[in-house]
Amino acid sequence: MPDSCGRLVVVATPIGNLGDLSPRAAEELSAAETWIVEDTRVSGKLQAHLGVKRPMKVLNDHSTRDRIDELVAVVAAGSSIALITDAGTPVVSDPGSELIDAALNRGLSVCGVPGPSAATLALSLSGFYAQRFAFLGYLPRKPGPMRSTLLPFSDSTLTLVAFESPHRIGKLLAACFEALGDRRYAICRELTKRHEQVWRSTLPAVPDEDVVPRKGEFTVVVEGKRASS
């Protein structure tokens, strides 16, 4: 049984368009006593949008185990805490899983509000088969380790989804071609934002910057290996 009446609410937040914040997400965020966030500057804008002001505690890739234990103790003391990421669904390329795991191991109440995710939206917009897919997050920065991550999928029918910075997109596409061959792919840029763009092609083609500007948030979808006709 939980050792308090506190609870941890995992809340998905917009990836670019604040209009995508669901009524239930807004309700839970407004009711929470404290927010656990990646960056207070980003989450502060969401608080301003909601017209609320709540204490924010930071949890990011640099947070220690002691920090996680400290946050779990806040929930255990009886508080209602909202866990959010800078954009999208917590735990997806985000350090929130350790906090959720620790809370569950302690028997605390954990619930969630579903919502936006760049990975699943990119899958939808790519037009590629998405019944089975693999999410790779951010691949290693160097070409060798990047190829090594992709090679196990050389004969796979799984559609692949990855995040990448705009200035490394060429390196990622080159590594995909070397490891996977001439697959179709889609670059999904600035999803839900004013300059949203979905650009499809086949490896090893790389779009010029005047076609796909090297600005914004990039999600890349690579089609799984297709059966020979």
Side-chain angles (χ1 to χ4, degrees), residues 154-200:
S154 60
D155 290 318
S156 174
T157 58
L158 293 177
T159 295
L160 306 179
V161 185
F163 293 155
E164 189 52 275
S165 71
H167 302 296
R168 290 201 302 269
I169 195 67
K171 291 182 179 179
L172 173 62
L173 295 178
C176 285
F177 178 63
E178 292 170 11
L180 308 173
D182 56 348
R183 306 265 189 99
R184 294 195 300 170
Y185 72 92
I187 295 174
C188 302
R189 186 177 72 87
E190 291 289 85
L191 292 175
T192 76
K193 301 178 185 177
R194 180 179 180 183
H195 299 293
E196 177 178 288
Q197 179 184 24
V198 178
W199 190 87
R200 302 201 324 165

Side-chain angles (χ1 to χ4, degrees), residues 65-137:
R65 183 67 201 189
D66 287 343
R67 178 60 167 173
I68 292 170
D69 291 341
E70 173 192 326
L71 295 173
V72 170
V74 175
V75 182
S79 295
S80 177
I81 307 295
L83 170 65
I84 65 174
T85 183
D86 282 350
T89 301
V91 178
V92 180
S93 280
D94 168 76
S97 58
E98 291 187 37
L99 175 66
I100 295 168
D101 186 46
L104 291 171
N105 285 340
R106 186 154 173 177
L108 299 173
S109 175
V110 178
C111 58
V113 180
S117 170
T120 52
L121 180 56
L123 275 169
S124 296
L125 296 179
S126 72
F128 302 148
Y129 184 76
Q131 291 285 71
R132 300 178 68 239
F133 66 92
F135 175 66
L136 305 181

Side-chain angles (χ1 to χ4, degrees), residues 52-66:
V52 302
K53 191 170 182 62
R54 298 288 183 271
M56 291 184 281
K57 296 181 179 293
V58 174
L59 175 66
N60 56 35
D61 290 324
H62 305 291
S63 297
T64 64
R65 183 67 201 189
D66 287 343

